[in-house]
Amino acid sequence: MLRCNTMMHTPIGLKETLRSAIWARDLTPEQMARVEADCFEHGVAKGGFVCHKGEAVENWIGIISGMVKMNNFSPNGKSVTFSGVPPGGWFGEGSLLKNETRKYDAMALRESRIARMPAPTFHWLLETSLPFNRFLLMQLNERLGQFIGMVEGDRLLDLNTRVARCLASMFNAHLHPGSDTLLQISQEEIGLLSGSSRQRANCALQVLEKCGLLRIDYGGIRVLDLDGLRRYEG
């Protein structure tokens, strides 16, 4: 089991989160000034909803701290998880681009701080920033690849492989920039993201640790061989 689930860090601010985002790197000073003026943050408790399926999409959503999962529930209560979003990740651009109601719920796996960019600001950047458009093109392409991999995992792969792919997906340089080799995530969270229980996730982690791909460390999971996790097949 994980030996510790928390580490001490200096809290990151909203402005720092915005300025460090990949999509913000090539904005003009005027564009950045409007982004900083319009964006706002709020906190969500563990288990709370960041957004709800079926609601009007009024913001583009980023994670300042914490962890969020995108998921849906069937009428009989069965849950399917689409993706986990760690700090630095942004989501919801598809619904904003299509001007449709949200197709999924997003829930906080732990206490989280959420950044929101209002829809008018998002669309203004689309109209005024070519680099922002390029970023979104890459974002949607990476998201598509992620979801294709998820379908493959659910239908073809065993649990150990699903856990390996789940952990590896947290190191997508475009969707989740700034990820460290120490992934601050609990066994419960890994289970929720990979569609298993905490106990089964723990068993899978021990298998992957014996393969030399990771180490169950103080503060979370230390990834030792990211390429190995991506290629792993149990």
Side-chain angles (χ1 to χ4, degrees), residues 91-154:
F91 67 92
E93 60 278 346
S95 297
L96 279 167
L97 289 169
K98 291 185 285 185
N99 192 28
E100 63 181 13
T101 57
R102 199 172 300 280
K103 301 299 184 183
Y104 53 83
D105 294 312
M107 301 177 64
L109 292 178
R110 66 182 75 143
E111 184 177 353
S112 301
R113 290 169 58 212
I114 307 300
R116 293 184 181 270
M117 178 187 291
T121 310
F122 177 89
H123 288 291
W124 178 76
L125 286 177
L126 277 177
E127 294 171 358
T128 63
S129 174
L130 181 59
F132 187 72
N133 279 267
R134 289 181 180 140
F135 166 85
L136 287 179
L137 181 63
M138 289 297 299
Q139 177 96 338
L140 293 168
N141 186 54
E142 293 290 339
R143 191 84 70 197
L144 176 61
Q146 186 181 64
F147 289 159
I148 289 174
M150 182 196 71
V151 173
E152 177 192 32
D154 284 346

